[in-house]
Amino acid sequence: MALYATAASVLAGVESRRGSIKGLVYASSFQNVKQLYALVCETQRYSAVLDAVIASAGLLRAEKKLRPHLAKVLVYELLLGKGFRGGGGRWKPLLDRHQARLKAELARLKVQRRVSRNEDLLQVGSRPGTASQVPRFVRVNTLKTSLDDAVDYFKRQGFSYQGRASSLEDARALRGRCFLLDPLLPELLVFPAQTDLHDHPLYRAGHLILQDKASCLPAALLAPPPGAHVIDACAAPGNKTSHLAALLKNQGGSGMPARQLEEPGAGTPSKARLQALAGFQQRALRHALTFPSLQRLVYSTCSLCQEENEDVVCDALQQNPGTFRLAPVLPSWPHRGLGTFPGAEHCLRASPETTLTGGFFVAVLERVEVPSSVPQAEAAPEPTPSAAPRSKRRRQAVAPGAQPRTQPRTQQKGKR
């Protein structure tokens, strides 16, 4: 089935740091993105377990044409998933030949680690990769609730609130039912890695948004003032758009159709496709910079590829000399842009290794010729953290770093 081949391609892309799961899934052109996303996430979640079972069973030695990532996806479906979908196509007969051995090795692994359930293998003796150690970030949807109320709800459920984190180490050390407030972004809660909140009542009610910290940066750095006109040119699946709506208190924002500026193609980018995609993004960014009402623009991708990031920004600046500049944002952010052109250090990069987030890139561009009536900061401030929540006190969302403008027309343009 195309599902399994595409899932293997996305998994390979994630492990080689070509992008995040979400970004690669949406770039794959696979129609059922929810099905694909769930399969990749669960396969990656059990990655260490699957590697151990596949190695012990000698599957790749017996089936030399079976690639490792595809084998991992197929074995997950066979042993831990809901069985092969759509009959499994040509892969089911292949796995059937090894089914007994694979099941036996899974059972042996449980005995060795003294567990009885598959889920317990995730906690005992496994060696999760860096990506699986990324905390679960949860943005409180301030259009529906407040930070205080969300924290109080989790406390009543038996979670232990640890206050505001002071460093990445605080987030990395989270265990069990403990959670923190992010030190940089207001209304962003931090839970231990692998915390599953998809069935949580607040999530189902839309009070919580499961959004990676790096994905929250574009809206926070755009910092639109109340009533600003905002365009999200690549709203897919819409988390950043909903974040903008919360910052604007649901007034003044607008978004373009999902994936309008996306480039179709396979999940694993070939060199030719990467060049085409980079060219497409360069044209799109240059076009965005021609908007005469445009004062501030955030260009973001869920990719770590230079061709999609620094090269695009450099080309756009060269095509608009003296019109826009890179704003020096978040000086404390530890992962900066690649030094491929002067000023690239003002760009932000994110990765599981350096920032405990998904792979991401953000560049903030601001117009140089600003009308004299519009205040212009030399450097964009870091988002101001909100005060630690107190019980029974409600708070409204405040656009971090927002400054009043007499011409509040703003645009955000990003990828995925």
Side-chain angles (χ1 to χ4, degrees), residues 2-316:
L3 169 64
Y4 300 129
T6 307
S9 179
V10 171
L11 192 64
V14 171
E15 293 186 1
S16 61
R17 304 178 189 174
R18 289 195 294 268
S20 66
I21 294 179
K22 182 174 69 176
L24 294 174
V25 164
Y26 276 93
S28 70
S29 296
F30 189 79
Q31 289 186 345
N32 193 336
V33 293
K34 289 185 178 180
Q35 183 186 51
L36 177 60
Y37 184 80
L39 178 58
V40 175
C41 285
E42 285 302 298
T43 301
Q44 188 187 51
R45 184 180 175 215
Y46 282 94
S47 180
V49 174
L50 295 168
D51 285 339
V53 170
I54 290 171
S56 299
L59 178 62
L60 297 179
R61 292 195 301 271
E63 302 290 344
K64 298 187 182 301
K65 293 184 178 180
L66 186 61
R67 307 310 301 164
H69 292 99
L70 179 57
K72 192 178 295 190
V73 172
L74 295 174
V75 173
Y76 169 80
E77 281 285 72
L78 177 68
L79 300 182
L80 305 171
K82 298 180 180 179
F84 289 110
R85 308 170 206 205
R90 63 191 181 97
W91 303 116
K92 188 176 185 303
L94 184 149
L95 268 293
D96 282 345
R97 295 199 294 267
H98 305 276
Q99 182 174 179
R101 183 63 184 271
L102 289 167
K103 288 184 175 180
E105 291 301 331
L106 179 62
R108 190 194 310 275
L109 190 62
K110 290 180 182 178
V111 172
Q112 290 175 349
R113 298 181 180 177
R114 298 180 181 179
V115 299
S116 58
R117 302 184 308 159
N118 294 331
E119 293 82 0
D120 295 333
L121 290 170
L122 297 173
Q123 303 297 329
V124 182
S126 60
R127 296 181 179 178
T130 305
S132 65
Q133 298 177 36
V134 172
R136 165 65 72 186
F137 292 101
V138 179
R139 178 168 61 81
V140 177
N141 183 2
T142 53
L143 294 176
K144 289 195 170 187
T145 188
S146 68
L147 174 65
D148 299 334
D149 287 349
V151 169
D152 287 344
Y153 193 100
F154 279 111
K155 285 181 178 179
R156 292 195 299 270
Q157 287 191 316
F159 285 84
S160 175
Y161 177 59
Q162 304 294 303
R164 187 182 306 282
S166 59
S167 67
L168 287 178
E169 293 307 315
D170 290 345
R172 185 178 282 113
L174 277 175
R175 295 291 185 274
R177 294 173 68 82
C178 296
F179 70 108
L180 294 161
L181 183 63
D182 185 78
L184 180 63
L185 297 171
E187 286 77 51
L188 188 66
L189 301 177
V190 189
F191 290 80
Q194 309 300 333
T195 300
D196 189 359
L197 297 173
H198 288 87
D199 292 327
H200 195 277
L202 292 184
Y203 172 73
R204 294 201 304 267
H207 292 192
L208 302 179
I209 307 294
L210 305 184
Q211 184 174 359
D212 185 71
K213 178 177 179 176
S215 177
C216 295
L217 290 176
L221 293 176
L222 187 67
H229 185 81
V230 180
I231 299 175
D232 190 341
C234 289
N239 284 342
K240 291 185 287 294
T241 305
S242 68
H243 192 187
L244 286 165
L247 295 178
L248 289 166
K249 301 178 183 178
N250 243 1
Q251 298 178 358
S254 65
M256 293 175 68
R259 304 184 71 188
Q260 178 160 333
L261 297 181
E262 292 283 354
E263 177 78 3
T268 302
S270 64
K271 182 177 181 180
R273 179 178 177 266
L274 202 57
Q275 291 173 344
L277 179 59
F280 173 83
Q281 291 176 294
Q282 287 166 348
R283 293 192 299 274
L285 183 54
R286 287 200 303 269
H287 174 71
L289 292 177
T290 63
F291 278 68
S293 61
L294 177 62
Q295 298 296 334
R296 191 174 180 86
L297 180 146
V298 173
Y299 175 73
S300 64
T301 75
C302 49
S303 165
L304 295 179
C305 297
Q306 176 186 325
E307 294 86 347
E308 295 185 73
N309 298 323
E310 287 87 356
D311 290 356
V312 173
V313 173
C314 180
D315 178 80

Side-chain angles (χ1 to χ4, degrees), residues 295 367-376 404-407:
Q295 298 296 334
R367 187 178 291 276
V368 175
E369 298 90 357
V370 178
S372 57
S373 59
V374 178
Q376 175 79 8
R405 303 175 187 264
T406 57
Q407 297 180 355

